[in-house]
Amino acid sequence: AAAAHLVVAPEQLTGGQNYIFCLEVTEQTAAGTNVAVSRQKLFVNDAPSGGETTITPTQGLKMQTVYSVRFEGWLDNNRPLAYAVSTVNADSTEAFLMTPQSANTLKFKLPDPGTLTIAGDVYDVYGSSARKILEVVNDDAVYGDDAAKDDITAAMGTGDFAALSQVASAFA
């Protein structure tokens, strides 16, 4: 028996819409024509919408300033929502600062100096997401061993692995 697959290219179906796919097979036999029909209804999940994502402050110092990204007013029928923050580099590569979590305010320090592109992502329970691009100016600053030890101690005390990663990145 031959197998066939229906493949729909990415971004071809609209979120929040229902689609019905139909397959009709016709077989010619000596006894006549046989027809079989199958229908499959599919609902395409839509991304969270209607919210605001902000960062404060918009300027600070490498590994000294605590930035706060706040997600407010996001709507979606498929809860709970999760929130994440990443840096987006000029070559479009990304690195999580804060992996998806339920808190709608995420706090972090930035290990790299410069004008940085920050992505604030909102995910529904099925993984559909909405993104807001933010920008901060993170000026270079001295980040010495004592400050790093203090940050490591604080992160280990709370189990904040994202903060540990930020400290390690500051020395990379």
Side-chain angles (χ1 to χ4, degrees):
H5 302 278
L6 172 65
V7 178
V8 179
E11 308 298 325
Q12 297 303 304
L13 303 179
T14 302
Q17 300 296 313
N18 286 302
Y19 293 86
I20 299 175
F21 293 93
C22 297
L23 173 66
E24 181 176 306
V25 177
T26 303
E27 177 185 43
Q28 295 289 338
T29 68
T33 302
N34 296 314
V35 177
V37 177
S38 177
R39 287 183 177 83
Q40 180 64 49
K41 185 174 180 180
L42 172 72
F43 175 76
V44 177
N45 187 28
D46 52 347
S49 63
E52 292 290 324
T53 303
T54 56
I55 189 166
T56 53
T58 56
Q59 184 165 2
L61 298 172
K62 170 185 168 178
M63 292 305 292
Q64 292 179 21
T65 303
V66 175
Y67 292 95
S68 177
V69 173
R70 183 164 177 81
F71 301 87
E72 291 185 290
W74 287 95
L75 304 172
D76 196 284
N77 291 331
N78 302 307
R79 293 185 173 266
L81 298 179
Y83 308 93
V85 178
S86 304
T87 56
V88 181
N89 299 318
D91 63 359
S92 297
T93 58
E94 297 184 25
F96 273 122
L97 290 165
M98 305 292 292
T99 57
Q101 52 197 274
S102 61
N104 72 330
T105 300
L106 305 178
K107 296 177 183 284
F108 53 89
K109 294 181 180 180
L110 291 168
D112 299 315
T115 300
L116 304 175
T117 301
I118 306 295
D121 295 307
V122 183
Y123 300 89
D124 72 12
V125 72
Y126 296 114
S128 289
S129 65
R131 169 169 279 190
K132 171 77 176 197
I133 297 295
L134 308 163
E135 192 172 275
V136 297
V137 176
N138 199 45
D139 294 322
D140 205 358
V142 175
Y143 184 61
D145 291 344
D146 290 338
K149 285 179 192 174
D150 291 345
D151 286 345
I152 289 170
T153 300
M156 290 183 72
T158 61
D160 187 349
F161 295 109
L164 289 171
S165 175
Q166 292 159 18
V167 171
S169 293
F171 286 99

